[in-house]
Amino acid sequence: EGTLSLRINGKPDASTADDMENQVLLGHIPLLLNPQAHDALVIGLGSGITLGSILNYPLNSVDVVEIDPVVPQAATFFNAFSDSPLEDSRVNLHIADGRHYLLATNKQYDVISSEPSNPLLSGSSKLFTKEFFTLMKNRTKYDGVVIQWINMYAIDIIGLSSIIKAYLDVFPHVVAFGVPLSNDILLVGSQKELVFDLASLRKNYEIPSVKQDLARIGVTDATEILARFYLDRPALE
């Protein structure tokens, strides 16, 4: 029905339908909250749509870590939706496990966007742990922002609570954004207090490519990003 989907071992991991809002917001929210960012890291390439959204901002470099060597080839089928992000000279693709990459690098990032496959899978479940969240925190600058996707389907309340608690244990400042279309949540963590500066949001929103990218998920004003703010730290606790 006109939807393009990426399936890995039969499981949908990206699409141009219900996943679109997730993929786009995972790129924009951390950059809107940290507009001075220069270096970003994306964990999990998938369709490449999140990477394409991140590249709308004036970053110096974006590292992408993808464990499956075939996914970058599959991502090219989404070029019409992602604006061919792997062809951008700022992008450095690493075929590696996200944990191993973070353990091996000393690079400090302004933004990390993490969207591994669901925690119900034995491999990717290790990317929803306190240990992995700590690795991400240690690879961000003091004012860096880390965004983590969490599915709200195929998970029980105990599993969901354990992931949220692990995130709260690692990051002193945490908020959650919601994704209305899929009903998933996006946890945003930082070592510095997260400030919602509407003037700064509006300034970045006025970047023509940013505005165009957000419009395709129904965001037609900077305030609609804030409308997706769900919970502060006390509420998450």
Side-chain angles (χ1 to χ4, degrees):
E1 298 177 349
T3 296
L4 184 63
S5 298
L6 170 65
R7 292 173 180 261
I8 298 176
N9 293 332
K11 180 193 170 298
D13 271 315
S15 76
T16 58
D18 291 353
D19 296 306
M20 185 60 83
E21 191 172 14
N22 264 323
Q23 296 165 134
V24 172
L25 289 176
L26 276 160
H28 286 283
I29 288 175
L31 270 301
L32 289 169
L33 286 173
N34 190 7
Q36 307 304 318
H38 298 292
D39 302 296
L41 170 65
V42 175
I43 297 174
L45 173 64
S47 65
I49 291 172
T50 296
L51 175 59
S53 293
I54 284 176
L55 290 169
N56 286 299
Y57 297 85
L59 294 163
N60 294 336
S61 69
V62 183
D63 289 323
V64 184
V65 180
E66 171 56 53
I67 194 170
D68 192 327
V70 184
V71 166
Q73 179 184 349
T76 62
F77 288 92
F78 292 83
N79 279 348
F81 302 91
S82 61
D83 199 22
S84 308
L86 292 176
E87 298 176 12
D88 193 301
S89 61
R90 295 172 292 170
V91 173
N92 306 297
L93 176 63
H94 307 269
I95 302 300
D97 175 88
R99 297 167 303 157
H100 296 166
Y101 175 83
L102 290 174
L103 283 166
T105 185
N106 291 319
K107 189 170 183 178
Q108 295 287 297
Y109 293 96
D110 299 292
V111 164
I112 298 180
S113 180
S114 177
E115 188 185 13
S117 194
N118 301 54
L120 61 89
L121 303 173
S122 60
S124 57
S125 65
K126 297 175 179 64
L127 276 64
F128 290 86
T129 62
K130 183 175 180 178
E131 291 76 11
F132 184 68
F133 298 154
T134 300
L135 275 176
M136 290 198 290
K137 185 189 79 169
N138 291 342
R139 293 297 175 263
T140 55
K141 300 170 187 175
Y142 173 71
D143 58 351
V145 174
V146 178
I147 188 166
Q148 173 74 44
W149 168 81
I150 304 179
N151 55 289
M152 293 281 279
Y153 59 91
I155 190 170
D156 61 19
I157 190 64
I158 295 174
L160 179 63
S161 297
S162 70
I163 295 172
I164 293 174
K165 184 181 186 304
Y167 212 77
L168 292 170
D169 285 347
V170 170
F171 292 99
H173 301 282
V174 181
V175 297
F177 284 79
V179 186
L181 187 61
S182 64
N183 197 36
D184 295 336
I185 62 172
L186 307 175
L187 292 180
V188 181
S190 180
Q191 299 175 71
K192 183 181 178 182
E193 184 179 0
L194 294 160
V195 177
F196 298 94
D197 181 351
L198 187 55
S200 177
L201 279 173
R202 283 183 166 145
K203 180 180 178 181
N204 281 281
Y205 176 79
E206 289 304 319
I207 298 173
S209 60
V210 170
K211 182 182 288 190
Q212 183 178 359
D213 198 44
L214 285 168
R216 61 181 174 164
I217 60 167
V219 175
T220 58
D221 185 84
T223 55
E224 292 179 21
I225 293 291
L226 295 181
R228 286 163 170 77
F229 173 79
Y230 274 19
L231 303 165
D232 60 10
R233 185 183 179 100
L236 284 164
E237 291 172 345

